[in-house]
Amino acid sequence: MDINEIIKPENLVYDKSAVLNDDVMHYCPGCTHGVVHKIMAELIEEMGLQEKTVGIAPVGCAVFAYNYIDIDWQEAAHGRAPAVATGVARLHPDNFVFTYQGDGDLASIGTAEIMHACNRGENILVIFINNGIYGMTGGQMAPTTLEGMVTSTTPNGRNVDLNGYPMKITNLIAQLPGTSYVTRQAAHTANAARKLKRSLKKAIQNVLDKKGTSFVEVVSTCNSGWKMTPVAANNWMTENMLPYYPLGDMKDSEKGEHSEN
Amino acid sequence: MGEVRLMKGNEVLAEAAIRCGCDGYFGYPITPQSEVMETLMARQPWNETGMVVLQAESEVASINMVYGAAGSGKKVMTSSSSPGVSLMAEGISYIAGAELPCLLVNVQRGGPGLGTIQPSQADYFQSVKGGGHGDYKLIVLAPSSVQEMNDFVNLGFELAFKYRNPAMILADGAIGQMMEKVELADFKPRRTNEEIEAECGDWATLGKPKSRKKNIVTSLEMDSDIMEANNLRFQEKYKKLEEEEVRYEAIQCDDADFVLVAFGTSSRVCQKAVEIARAKGLKVGLLRPITLYPFPKKIIKELARKAQGFLSVEMSAGQMVEDIKLSVYEAGSNARVDYFGRMGGIIPSPNEVVEALEDKFSWELSYGVKRSY
Amino acid sequence: MAKVKGAVVVDKEGCKGCSLCVEACPHDVLALHKEVNSKGYHYSFMENPDECIGCANCGVVCPDTCITIYRVKVS
């Protein structure tokens, strides 16, 4: 069968969301951010939320998230996205507000803001990109950096006696009564990305239903920071990150689930 | 005439916020301004006007809540005292950089560090020179009475929205804690969503309709040419403020040989000092800057043509005195500028001020002519 | 028996050659081209177009959203 007989509008099964614009992303080749951005744009379009969505961009690589997803955005100071989102969501309770934060932003400098926003049960979605490193500033140790992992500030590997332990902040978040849905997902395979999309959809629906904070961690790669090819980074993530940060729902208030992942 | 009550300065801030149609308040407790949030929480304005009041986990969080809410077009405010305002500095810089209107209140206490809970004016530099990183200015209003605590809430919001710039009420512990008669403003309804859309629709994050481009609230710009253009635009705005928004009160300055310059609590002391000095036959006036930024340079330049001396009376080690010196220098005047003040939470007495004046200007007082340099 | 045939169109200039789509393809349809695009990336293309079933795995994992997918049923 000739390929041109297949490539026809009526046979289209997968295309770019109209909510994602045509700007080429500044992210490195193979970066997980692109996949998560794309999924959020798809969901905002599919759920008809473009007119009521406000995104809060962090400081870090995703600071420019506002360049790609065609919604209103605010760019927060480092770590403060949950406070900024609180301000927007409290004053516009009918809007859908989400933060998009990395591990340095959320689990280091912004620990107070994320814990308290989740504890108050702000009606927001928090997307937490955990790649175990500071990407934008050049690959320094993050709170989530694994033991022994080499970064530019742990050139001999993370030494827990010196640097403390990799923080499973999502597990702490799941303990807070203000959160309704807390899950850890990934996007390194097509199946994982599809599952992530289902999780984000549920999380968004919870926010729309005013059930409190929904928190979606995405275990991610930073192939540039890890100094690997994108494919090798995915493999390294599967072998090293996932055993420490296992995937799955930690809390689903609908099901009364609470696991100790 | 509006409703008249006997109220504390801090309580009035809360009441004025509700009455002027404020949409939200975010704060964190700190002495000597905790009554602001306490009054709001007791008043429960969410039942009355729909105003949101939230106790944040820190000043860092509260200023960023203000950033978010202001970025979405709402009329919001926070209040704190000196150490808390230091914590907010980063957020205030972001708010100025993103050109968001909001109202900040600093009920100053003495520093540095944890300092004292007693009143002070030592955050003058922090307030009028920017305070955080980068080239920015706040619109700074200095109330000297409980009545002005009331009036400046509405004025602060008006200026903030007119210039899309944060405005600050720079009070001190004495003004915050004292009780005075105050005539309250009439209730003004909060703006409707349609009004907000009309006023702020081209920049605020209200949710993107199909009809317009997305609005992005940010202070970030990677292109140096655009970032410089942004800064030049800010500077134009500050220049316009300096031309159009200066406010001051001049008391018995017309024939004054010596001008006391003081704001807030110290200006109340100086009003009495003027009386004492005049009774002694000294021609002394008082210039009270109401806007600390923009600073009333022009009137100081005018007064410097005939006055022999200016005495800046401050509850600090002498901060505003630098701006007075600059103004007098720009006027090309020979008038001498000096400073008198107390620190540590001590309010100078009127007699102390007069003694300081007589001491520091003894040469001029003895010879009755301007010193020539 | 109905059989599914697919085809993917890669936006050559948008591709950064990360090869995540190549890995994600269950039928080894995709490969990186030996030529480069204007940015210098070896872009992804259908090396074995006949094997494509239009499963969209490549599109789902593509961080730069430069893959469009078509699918038809043929008997």
Side-chain angles (χ1 to χ4, degrees), chain B residues 21-58:
Chain B
C22 178
D23 295 309
Y25 172 95
F26 303 92
Y28 185 80
I30 182 170
T31 309
Q33 66 76 55
S34 296
E35 294 87 351
V36 182
M37 188 161 50
E38 287 171 352
T39 305
L40 284 167
M41 288 298 187
R43 282 279 271 106
Q44 303 187 26
W46 48 92
N47 291 328
E48 198 176 339
T49 69
M51 178 181 173
V52 169
V53 187
L54 187 62
Q55 179 170 339
E57 63 269 31
S58 67

Side-chain angles (χ1 to χ4, degrees), chain B residues 299-307 310 328 331 333-335 370:
Chain B
I299 180 69
I300 291 178
K301 286 184 190 175
E302 280 169 27
L303 294 174
R305 287 201 204 110
K306 45 190 186 183
F310 291 83
V328 171
S333 161
N334 285 337
K370 277 197 185 185

Side-chain angles (χ1 to χ4, degrees), chain B residues 48-348:
Chain B
E48 198 176 339
T49 69
M51 178 181 173
V52 169
V53 187
L54 187 62
Q55 179 170 339
E57 63 269 31
S58 67
E59 288 90 350
V60 176
S62 58
I63 193 66
N64 284 287
M65 289 172 186
V66 165
Y67 175 94
S72 65
K74 296 286 184 169
K75 197 169 164 180
V76 289
M77 66 182 288
T78 183
S79 65
S80 188
S81 181
S82 310
V85 177
S86 293
L87 272 174
M88 290 182 184
E90 182 201 37
I92 296 173
S93 174
Y94 273 66
I95 289 171
E99 292 188 271
L100 301 180
C102 68
L103 181 64
L104 318 167
V105 182
N106 181 359
V107 182
Q108 296 169 93
R109 53 190 266 180
L114 196 50
T116 168
I117 58 170
Q118 301 300 329
S120 165
Q121 298 178 323
D123 299 347
Y124 176 90
F125 279 152
Q126 188 194 48
S127 313
V128 307
K129 307 292 181 191
H133 59 285
D135 282 311
Y136 73 89
K137 301 278 193 190
L138 304 175
I139 300 163
V140 184
L141 300 166
S144 69
S145 64
V146 174
Q147 185 64 52
E148 284 187 339
M149 287 290 246
N150 174 78
D151 302 347
F152 290 177
V153 170
N154 190 54
L155 176 63
F157 273 124
E158 276 181 9
L159 292 172
F161 273 85
K162 184 174 171 187
Y163 291 91
R164 267 183 67 190
N165 199 71
M168 174 182 272
I169 294 178
L170 186 66
D172 62 63
I175 306 281
Q177 293 296 327
M178 73 163 69
M179 292 186 89
E180 276 186 324
K181 187 179 86 170
V182 57
E183 184 187 344
L184 296 170
D186 292 334
F187 278 93
K188 203 159 76 173
R190 290 171 57 221
R191 292 172 306 155
T192 62
N193 285 341
E194 290 70 33
E195 285 167 336
I196 293 171
E197 180 70 48
E199 188 178 2
C200 312
D202 58 340
W203 56 266
T205 59
L206 301 163
K208 190 198 98 68
K210 297 253 180 296
S211 54
R212 70 155 163 83
K213 281 184 162 179
K214 63 185 166 192
N215 285 337
I216 299 168
V217 170
T218 182
S219 55
L220 175 67
E221 179 51 62
M222 297 300 275
D223 183 328
S224 295
D225 288 331
I226 299 174
M227 193 65 221
E228 187 182 45
N230 288 349
N231 268 287
L232 290 170
R233 192 175 68 249
F234 301 161
Q235 294 305 318
E236 277 301 307
K237 175 157 79 177
Y238 306 146
K239 207 175 137 199
K240 196 167 174 226
L241 274 166
E242 288 175 15
E243 282 163 6
E244 295 180 13
E245 303 298 347
V246 171
R247 287 164 172 78
Y248 61 86
E249 185 184 11
I251 298 168
Q252 292 185 270
C253 284
D254 289 346
D255 64 341
D257 292 328
F258 300 94
V259 179
L260 303 177
V261 187
F263 64 94
T265 294
S266 55
S267 73
R268 295 170 71 109
V269 174
C270 287
Q271 241 176 300
K272 185 70 188 170
V274 168
E275 277 178 39
I276 296 170
R278 290 260 168 189
K280 285 183 159 186
L282 300 174
K283 286 187 180 169
V284 176
L286 166 63
L287 180 76
R288 176 171 80 90
I290 291 172
T291 50
L292 296 180
Y293 186 83
F295 190 69
K297 270 187 174 181
K298 206 173 139 211
I299 180 69
I300 291 178
K301 286 184 190 175
E302 280 169 27
L303 294 174
R305 287 201 204 110
K306 45 190 186 183
Q308 298 179 42
F310 291 83
L311 185 66
S312 187
V313 180
E314 307 178 51
M315 285 143 63
S316 72
Q319 301 188 11
M320 182 174 67
V321 64
E322 293 188 7
D323 284 332
I324 302 168
K325 280 183 179 168
L326 256 175
S327 307
V328 171
Y329 168 79
E330 284 175 18
S333 161
N334 285 337
R336 207 153 55 79
V337 181
D338 216 321
Y339 142 87
F340 171 71
R342 298 296 302 269
M343 287 168 275
I346 296 169
I347 301 173

Side-chain angles (χ1 to χ4, degrees), chain A residues 23-238:
Chain A
D23 292 352
V24 176
M25 291 187 188
H26 68 290
Y27 300 115
C28 306
C31 177
T32 315
H33 278 310
V35 182
V36 184
H37 285 21
K38 173 174 66 179
I39 291 173
M40 275 308 284
E42 287 169 4
L43 286 170
I44 289 166
E45 184 179 16
E46 288 163 21
M47 298 172 84
L49 296 173
Q50 192 178 17
E51 294 195 20
K52 59 191 291 184
T53 301
V54 178
I56 312 296
V59 169
C61 289
V63 67
F64 290 122
Y66 57 67
N67 282 339
Y68 312 120
I69 302 178
D70 203 14
I71 53 169
D72 281 355
W73 283 93
Q74 293 200 27
E75 196 286 302
H78 199 18
R80 316 302 170 213
V84 174
T86 298
V88 180
R90 290 275 177 150
L91 274 294
H92 295 273
D94 295 331
N95 278 357
F96 162 59
V97 184
F98 74 93
T99 73
Y100 188 105
Q101 305 174 256
D103 39 29
D105 193 86
L106 183 142
S108 187
I109 196 167
T111 315
E113 283 74 16
I114 192 61
M115 294 304 268
H116 286 276
C118 289
N119 193 50
R120 288 190 302 266
E122 297 294 340
N123 261 308
I124 58 171
L125 161 64
V126 176
I127 300 171
F128 170 41
I129 305 296
N130 174 11
N131 56 17
I133 208 161
Y134 283 77
M136 178 161 269
T137 45
Q140 296 83 7
M141 180 189 72
T144 47
T145 297
L146 296 177
E147 187 174 352
M149 189 171 162
V150 172
T151 71
S152 66
T153 50
T154 54
N156 300 312
R158 181 176 187 152
N159 172 356
V160 293
D161 292 337
L162 181 66
N163 306 115
Y165 295 85
M167 188 186 278
K168 296 179 180 179
I169 196 162
T170 308
N171 299 57
L172 301 177
I173 298 286
Q175 308 297 317
L176 301 172
T179 52
S180 67
Y181 178 52
V182 180
T183 187
R184 186 185 286 126
Q185 300 294 331
H188 60 310
T189 64
N191 278 347
R194 289 188 174 107
K195 203 151 170 265
L196 170 63
K197 186 172 176 179
R198 286 195 292 276
S199 291
L200 284 169
K201 185 171 186 175
K202 178 184 197 142
I204 294 171
Q205 193 56 53
N206 277 359
V207 175
L208 298 176
D209 295 343
K210 303 204 187 305
K211 288 186 176 170
T213 313
S214 285
F215 190 101
V216 179
E217 173 178 345
V218 186
V219 182
S220 304
T221 62
C222 175
N223 57 73
S224 294
W226 295 0
K227 312 211 183 313
M228 297 174 192
T229 66
V231 173
N234 271 350
N235 293 336
W236 192 89
M237 185 188 99
T238 309

